[in-house]
Amino acid sequence: MKISKKLYSYYLIWPALIIYSVFFVFPALTGLYYSFTDWRLDRETIKFIGWDNFERIFTDKTLLLAIKNTCIFAVVTVLGKNILGIALAVGLNMRLKSKNILRAIFYSPSILSVLVISIVFTPMLRSEGTINKLLDTVGLHSLSQAWLTDPSIVIWTVAAVSIWQHTGFQMAIYLAGLQSISKEYYEAATIDGAGSWKSFTAITLPLLLPAININLMLTLIGGLKVFSEVFVLTGGGPGNASQVVGTIILRSFGEGSWGLGTAVNTLLFAAVTIIAIPLLIFMRRKEVSE
């Protein structure tokens, strides 16, 4: 009887473990195997080729550019979404009559489809689009750019659109964290003569670490796995200037290079794991120490 009680909790998790294994663990292990093969659409037999697919990834200029663009996108969006998210959360946590309306306005882009965002922004970002016309009107013609057709800035443009769309979601998480901080801390700091900046760095940021941790993980993983924003705004163009790992995977499978596509996907999974887990452990330790 005692043994059955000890095993009772395991009986409850077995269905979830089975489903997880069937739909995630087994496909992941199968994909890992195929990433070391020459699996192609035009071949009836599959041959094990070792590290050839991975060697190609790190020697092909287009694939290297995709990795570089993915890293740029991830870094820029992580910084942009979190810095702006904290700033908006702090501002909209103050006593403003219109704060509820403003919260809804800033959050609303995050619930829109990326396809809708592309329909809105694509004409605005053209050389003759709204943004350049606005810059010309206010005398900033020198800042006008070919936002989606200049290879040197296109990935930065896509990152900016992503920041615009998703910052409101990060803001909502930071707002929840701010509202859980007792006002007594700030009252005590004011009595001790601490200014706004000192209160922010000594009270707000340390107590906001759980929310920062969540948002860092979400934005980092989302940035490394970027696909939809690039696909709908540029399709990886002009040329291959805005290709990212996600679009390379799609193109590889579309061309029938399934082994290569699986290898790129395996590399992306490894990169997300290697970067995210140590960062998560570090942030958790910071939470405990604070």
Side-chain angles (χ1 to χ4, degrees), residues 124-141:
M124 291 175 61
L125 292 168
R126 290 173 181 163
S127 298
E128 69 281 3
T130 307
I131 292 178
N132 282 343
K133 287 181 179 179
L134 180 62
L135 291 173
D136 293 342
T137 301
V138 298
L140 297 175
H141 177 72

Side-chain angles (χ1 to χ4, degrees), residues 21-39:
S21 299
V22 170
F23 291 100
F24 180 79
V25 176
F26 178 73
L29 293 176
T30 304
L32 179 63
Y33 166 75
Y34 281 121
S35 65
F36 291 97
T37 68
D38 63 349
W39 188 27

